[in-house]
Amino acid sequence: MNIDTQLTHLGRASAKSMQSVNPPITKTSTVVFPDLHSFESSKTKTVFENIRYGRYGTQITFELQQAMAKIECTETCIATASGMSAIVAVLSSYAELGKHILVSEGVYKSTKAFCETKLAKSGIEITFFNKNDHIENLITPETSLVYIEVPSSTNMQLLDIKSVCKAAHGKGIVVACDATWGTPIFFKPHLLGIDISIHSATKYINGHSDIILGLITGTDEKMMPVRDWCYRYGSYAASDSCWLALRGLRTLSIRMKQHQENAMIVANWLRSQPEVTNVIYPPFFTGIDLELWKTQFSGAAGPFKVELQPCQDHNFEQFINSLDLFSIGASYGGFSSVVTPTNQTKQESSINKKRIVRFHIGLENPYDLCDDIRKALQYLSI
Ligand SMILES: *Cc1c(COP(=O)(O)O)cnc(C)c1O
């Protein structure tokens, strides 16, 4: 079935018994059983999803998980408290199995921090690699996970995913990918060979900037250690958040089409502005990177990075503060536009500083957004 049809119909089984379009939210801590036999057999069930105790999820959790697994073209999904808790669950559960992991450079900052602090202190060796490395040469007998993020949060780097998977699978090593940016609409990790896909559903999947939630997908076999880790350490996804994420899925496809259309208009317009020195956006890549982009993604989400010409601190501040339609913040994927000023290096003198901002293009009219940026850019043209 086409994904548009799936997004409309999946995750509604429990609505039928309510004679309702949408499934109900169950809010419970204790799961109660009609008799001793069903209580006892709930403990021994080997199925992936098991109604046994509120922390393991209720019907609405399972509705979302099953819908997400189907959309991601795999068997199983686990919802977690946040995108970050999903990342921690995957890294921890697989790092424990071997003691060495490979992580692609430029991953989400908190992911890198978790590797370099908690994992490293627990005696796990971490090797960071980039698109020029041959990971065959970096794999050791202890390697139990290759973790990637495409495009990477900090520098929007792409990787040859099929080659990475081939090298890892040749040694029986699992590949996990933070697939948040691409969304299930534009990026199909499992069809490219990735074993475990991670989404911060906080972003596009929910799409309305009102929940924090993580989703992890993969086959039953590959997900078992992750599920056990989530259960053991209590990574609980709130039922309200699952309900809202499922609602977000209904419009994910049409929202992504609009985000893409708007982002292209704004990014193209920005490229022709004299105050803009570069727009870092996968559809604008060239050579091998463009090839990777075209073969691995079917579309582009909203966030891209913009390099501005050097300017004084106060000019930059005026530029950011005079944007009216862009909220200043550190997230993306919601219906409204956001500007994220990236870390400014302190040592350089203010006039030589490379000014980089990330724009998330929302669902406003894109020409209104261009007008808003035009008005702000005047503070940069000295
Ligand atoms: C936002 C984000 C996360 C973290 O997700 P939360 O739901 O905020 O915990 C992880 N990875 C990427 C790529 C993200 O953009």
Side-chain angles (χ1 to χ4, degrees):
M1 243 190 283
N2 182 282
I3 190 157
D4 290 347
T5 313
Q6 288 185 326
L7 290 169
T8 315
H9 287 270
L10 290 173
R12 289 170 52 190
S14 63
K16 288 214 174 87
S17 61
M18 309 292 292
Q19 295 182 281
S20 151
V21 177
N22 294 300
I25 301 182
T26 314
K27 297 190 76 71
T28 194
S29 54
T30 314
V31 171
V32 295
F33 296 86
D35 50 42
L36 178 63
H37 174 75
S38 41
F39 179 62
E40 290 300 327
S41 57
S42 81
K43 293 182 193 165
T44 52
K45 264 195 203 159
T46 53
V47 294
F48 206 89
E49 290 168 338
N50 197 358
I51 297 200
R52 189 147 53 92
Y53 178 52
R55 202 174 63 224
Y56 308 136
T58 57
Q59 203 56 47
I60 189 65
T61 325
F62 303 153
E63 292 279 22
L64 171 66
Q65 290 180 167
Q66 287 160 17
M68 187 64 186
K70 281 242 165 66
I71 289 159
E72 286 256 275
C73 311
T74 187
E75 294 171 5
T76 300
C77 172
I78 301 170
T80 64
S82 64
M84 202 51 223
S85 76
I87 291 164
V88 167
V90 173
L91 285 170
S92 305
S93 54
Y94 272 94
E96 274 173 3
L97 299 175
K99 295 278 176 218
H100 174 243
I101 61 169
L102 283 163
V103 178
S104 64
E105 279 174 10
V107 290
Y108 186 67
K109 257 194 194 152
S110 303
T111 306
K112 183 160 190 249
F114 178 75
C115 290
E116 288 178 334
T117 56
K118 183 71 186 123
L119 287 185
K121 279 188 189 140
S122 315
I124 288 151
E125 203 194 323
I126 298 133
T127 308
F128 289 97
F129 70 100
N130 65 37
K131 59 177 178 171
N132 302 318
D133 290 316
H134 294 283
I135 69 157
E136 298 87 325
N137 306 332
L138 304 174
I139 290 171
T140 76
E142 300 263 78
T143 311
S144 53
L145 180 70
V146 176
Y147 180 97
I148 64 174
E149 184 187 317
V150 281
S152 58
S153 283
T154 58
N155 50 9
M156 301 208 98
Q157 287 286 301
L158 295 175
L159 289 167
D160 184 344
I161 295 171
K162 280 190 180 161
S163 307
V164 168
C165 290
K166 195 167 168 222
H169 293 160
K171 298 271 169 71
I173 296 163
V174 166
V175 181
C177 176
D178 183 333
T180 303
W181 191 91
T183 79
I185 303 297
F186 295 143
F187 184 52
K188 297 282 179 206
H190 296 297
L191 300 185
L192 293 167
I194 284 159
D195 302 292
I196 298 176
S197 158
I198 301 166
H199 286 272
S200 165
T202 308
K203 311 289 167 53
Y204 287 110
I205 289 177
N206 174 59
H208 291 74
S209 309
D210 48 12
I211 61 162
I212 296 272
L213 187 76
L215 294 167
I216 316 168
T217 63
T219 59
D220 288 355
E221 185 204 349
K222 298 295 187 327
M223 289 285 283
M224 227 20 130
V226 182
R227 186 197 72 163
D228 290 348
W229 198 94
C230 288
Y231 282 10
R232 206 179 314 138
Y233 297 108
S235 174
Y236 167 67
S239 54
D240 314 60
S241 302
C242 292
W243 193 90
L244 283 167
L246 193 56
R247 164 186 274 206
L249 279 183
R250 306 290 174 223
T251 56
L252 182 63
S253 178
I254 55 162
R255 281 188 287 112
M256 291 319 297
K257 280 182 199 137
Q258 199 62 50
H259 279 297
Q260 165 165 256
E261 194 181 313
N262 292 2
M264 270 315 247
I265 290 170
V266 178
N268 265 317
W269 176 80
L270 277 164
R271 283 217 281 186
S272 64
Q273 300 312 301
E275 299 85 3
V276 173
T277 52
N278 195 12
V279 177
I280 307 162
Y281 191 32
F284 298 163
F285 287 173
T286 55
I288 174 79
D289 290 320
L290 182 64
E291 215 36 54
L292 288 176
W293 162 251
K294 282 199 204 151
T295 50
Q296 300 179 150
F297 290 79
S298 62
F304 53 79
K305 297 199 179 189
V306 176
E307 280 177 21
L308 302 167
Q309 68 181 21
C311 63
Q312 302 281 2
D313 282 339
H314 70 270
N315 291 118
F316 184 70
E317 204 171 330
Q318 275 178 309
F319 166 72
I320 296 290
N321 290 345
S322 61
L323 290 164
D324 290 320
L325 297 178
F326 289 81
S327 315
I328 305 167
S331 194
Y332 63 89
F335 53 87
S336 63
S337 294
V338 177
V339 59
T340 312
T342 62
N343 277 359
Q344 310 291 308
T345 39
K346 295 221 168 56
Q347 55 273 48
E348 285 172 271
S349 77
S350 134
I351 191 69
N352 295 324
K353 258 185 220 170
K354 211 181 205 181
R355 306 287 182 173
I356 300 178
V357 297
R358 187 181 69 193
F359 282 122
H360 160 62
I361 303 303
L363 300 174
E364 299 92 342
N365 179 286
Y367 301 102
D368 286 345
L369 294 174
C370 292
D371 284 346
D372 194 44
I373 302 171
R374 180 186 289 116
K375 188 191 65 196
L377 281 175
Q378 71 183 6
Y379 294 102
L380 300 183
S381 46
I382 320 141

